[in-house]
């Protein structure tokens, strides 16, 4: 989940059917993973590069599979992983090559994220060894 305070907004602009908020900064939930999606598409009537910070796997999969007017082509997806996920003691941002659903039809969904370097991360914390 992303969070910002109104004082951290750079601007608020009326779009055709909604408001566009430009952030000076954003706080990431300490325990949640997120994604940075890069691509090309139409934004504000112009074609060009686009980047979006996304906090859920389903939205990333939708953009990559069925497209989005702002993303006619996705060029790279980065996983921003919290320390519990990558076991490095800090957040990492790594390009991923694949997202796998490991428990189809069950709740909550469990995903595996495969990085370009071949590392696999899971979307749920593993139990601590006793």
């Amino acid at each position: 989940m992303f969070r910002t305070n109104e004082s951290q907004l750079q601007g608020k602009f009326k779009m055709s059917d909604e408001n566009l908020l430009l952030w000076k900064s954003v706080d990431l939930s300490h325990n949640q993973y997120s994604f940075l999606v890069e691509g090309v598409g139409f934004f504000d009537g112009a074609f060009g590069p686009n980047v979006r910070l996304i906090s859920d796997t389903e939205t990333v999969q939708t953009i990559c599979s069925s497209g989005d007017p702002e993303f006619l082509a996705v060029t790279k997806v980065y996983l921003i992983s919290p320390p519990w996920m990558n076991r490095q003691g800090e957040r990492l941002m790594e390009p991923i090559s694949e997202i796998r659903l490991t428990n189809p039809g069950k709740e909550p969904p469990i995903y595996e994220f495969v990085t370009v370097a071949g590392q696999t991360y899971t979307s749920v914390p593993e139990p601590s060894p006793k």
Side-chain angles (χ1 to χ4, degrees):
M1 181 67 68
F2 306 128
R3 183 183 61 191
T4 193
N5 295 321
E6 191 170 337
S7 64
Q8 289 300 103
L9 290 175
Q10 179 144 346
K12 186 175 182 179
F13 305 92
K14 185 71 175 160
M15 300 292 285
S16 56
D17 59 348
E18 61 185 274
N19 286 324
L20 174 66
L21 304 176
L22 299 180
W23 297 343
K24 290 181 187 174
S25 66
V26 65
D27 295 325
L28 298 174
S29 172
H30 181 69
N31 291 318
Q32 191 173 0
Y33 59 90
S34 52
F35 305 91
L36 187 74
V37 178
E38 293 181 344
V40 293
F42 287 98
F43 182 75
D44 202 18
F47 182 78
N50 200 359
V51 177
R52 189 184 302 169
L53 194 56
I54 299 174
S55 62
D56 68 282
T57 308
E58 294 82 6
T59 301
V60 172
Q61 290 179 309
T62 298
I63 289 172
C64 290
S65 64
S66 60
D68 178 299
E70 294 179 13
F71 285 100
L72 298 177
V74 172
T75 54
K76 202 171 274 189
V77 177
Y78 296 90
L79 172 67
I80 303 171
S81 60
W84 66 261
M85 181 183 272
N86 62 46
R87 299 176 188 246
Q88 299 293 313
E90 62 186 357
R91 285 193 172 276
L92 296 178
M93 187 167 113
E94 302 172 87
I96 59 173
S97 60
E98 184 179 2
I99 297 174
R100 301 179 195 143
L101 178 61
T102 62
N103 64 338
K106 296 184 181 173
E107 288 295 325
I110 298 174
Y111 296 98
E112 288 183 340
F113 309 108
V114 182
T115 68
V116 171
Q119 178 69 42
T120 300
Y121 300 116
T122 184
S123 63
V124 294
E126 294 180 11
S128 300
K130 295 182 181 184

